[in-house]
Amino acid sequence: MSAVGTERAYFGRRVGLSASHRLHSNALSVEENQVAYGKCNNPHGHGHNYVVEVLVGGAVDPETGMVVNLAALDGVLRAKVLERFDHANLNLDPLFLNQVPTTENLCIAVFELLKDAMPVGELEYVRVEETENNFFEYYGE
Amino acid sequence: MIFLTRRSTFSASHYYWNDGWTAEENERVFGRCANRNGHGHNYTLEVTVVGEPDAVTGFVVDLKWLKDVIEREVLAAFDHRHLNLEVPEFAAGKLIPTSENIAIAAWKRMEPAVLGAGGARLSRVRLYETPEIFAEYRGEK
């Protein structure tokens, strides 16, 4: 193979997950929760088709031309994120027992679940899109 | 500093194959992408340049000029081509035309023209192979 291929590049993957949640803080009164969260505080929750986007940075392997193998990355996303959150109620996940499952907090949770699980390279960011119009990014900062 | 991005599309075919490996090894690592008859994608190329807006024109770069650079340096070579067979960077024994390597090749093809024009410089090349799979290059070694 060519000697070229030591560049650092990034590989991105987007996957969908559907989950329900209710935004409700135990630190707030009933009225305060309604003021803070509006419809998102409705007692029985609601759901979204979330899109999780991850970007992995690393050296391009000269043998494969890849930063990371898609099948390996998909395996990690499935095991760490989709099996945990897809078609689940986020409020019932242990991570959200004491934390409101806003998309900000979901984004941070997904980053933390993935950061040490990359098959190769480093997790650059996690983006979670709650709808087509709202999305959140976390770079581990 | 302003980051300006131009999005373009092209369609091309490719396959993944490392001549240094056995057929079995290629199929194990690359899966269906190792099919020597090739397959194709509708790629989306996002080219981002960064610079200061010109005091007179208010432009970082003239978008028409950037569009012409992308068309001349990248699209003319890649669009409706078989990347392995028709693009020198990806000839047998050279780079495998993964999204990572296509993004890097596009950067290298455009960089002289962008640098030669003065002003803005390339910041990022992002290549979507599907809406859910993409690679990015930022000029890093």
Side-chain angles (χ1 to χ4, degrees):
Chain A
M1 303 304 293
S2 163
V4 181
T6 55
E7 288 91 349
R8 178 179 172 82
Y10 301 84
F11 185 76
R13 178 65 161 146
R14 292 165 60 83
V15 294
L17 78 86
S18 301
S20 62
H21 71 169
R22 179 197 183 203
L23 302 187
H24 181 91
S25 171
N26 294 331
L28 301 175
S29 69
V30 170
E31 293 73 24
E32 286 170 333
N33 267 294
Q34 284 166 358
V35 170
Y37 297 123
K39 288 191 292 187
C40 300
N41 184 240
N42 284 352
H44 302 296
H46 61 280
H48 297 288
N49 295 322
Y50 294 95
V51 175
V52 173
E53 176 177 310
V54 301
L55 191 71
V56 183
V60 179
D61 183 336
E63 293 292 312
T64 62
M66 297 172 174
V67 167
V68 58
N69 186 293
L70 173 64
L73 181 60
D74 278 354
V76 170
L77 294 176
R78 197 178 313 111
K80 297 287 182 183
V81 178
L82 299 183
E83 285 177 9
R84 180 166 193 146
F85 295 131
D86 187 32
H87 287 77
N89 181 333
L90 298 179
N91 297 68
L92 300 180
D93 189 286
L95 286 173
F96 297 115
L97 290 183
N98 297 306
Q99 200 180 36
V100 184
T102 58
T103 306
E104 290 91 327
N105 283 334
L106 177 61
C107 191
I108 293 168
V110 170
F111 187 97
E112 295 297 330
L113 288 168
L114 289 175
K115 71 175 181 188
D116 296 323
M118 290 296 100
V120 63
E122 300 86 40
L123 184 60
E124 174 80 356
Y125 71 66
V126 168
R127 173 192 289 209
V128 180
E129 301 178 6
E130 175 179 290
T131 70
E132 288 178 5
N133 301 320
N134 300 327
F135 56 88
F136 303 83
E137 285 176 2
Y138 183 59
Y139 285 76
E141 298 168 77
Chain B
M1 299 280 259
I2 295 291
F3 294 81
L4 178 159
T5 301
R6 171 75 187 177
R7 187 179 286 145
S8 328
T9 59
F10 65 92
S11 302
S13 57
H14 69 169
Y15 60 81
Y16 292 173
W17 195 267
N18 182 327
D19 285 324
W21 295 349
T22 63
E24 292 71 27
E25 213 170 353
N26 273 288
E27 280 154 21
R28 183 178 59 76
V29 174
F30 296 133
R32 296 160 72 93
C33 299
N35 182 333
R36 294 298 288 271
N37 294 318
H39 62 279
H41 297 288
N42 296 322
Y43 291 96
T44 297
L45 179 73
E46 291 180 359
V47 176
T48 303
V49 299
V50 60
E52 296 290 350
D54 182 88
V56 175
T57 64
F59 288 166
V60 172
V61 297
D62 185 329
L63 258 176
K64 172 68 165 68
W65 170 83
L66 181 60
K67 176 171 177 268
D68 288 345
V69 168
I70 296 167
E71 285 182 352
R72 185 179 69 241
E73 306 296 339
V74 179
L75 303 184
F78 293 178
D79 188 30
H80 286 75
R81 299 289 180 181
H82 191 301
L83 299 175
N84 303 67
L85 304 182
E86 297 183 88
V87 177
E89 290 95 319
F90 307 120
K94 299 220 171 142
L95 297 173
I96 299 168
T98 56
S99 290
E100 290 92 325
N101 278 336
I102 299 168
I104 292 168
W107 175 292
K108 290 181 174 174
R109 282 171 171 262
M110 291 182 289
E111 191 172 37
V114 175
L115 287 177
R121 60 184 165 80
L122 283 174
S123 168
R124 186 182 95 170
V125 170
R126 182 177 274 199
L127 181 76
Y128 285 88
E129 146 182 347
T130 73
E132 291 82 32
I133 300 171
F134 61 93
E136 186 174 306
Y137 185 56
R138 303 174 185 171
E140 296 168 285
K141 295 292 176 200

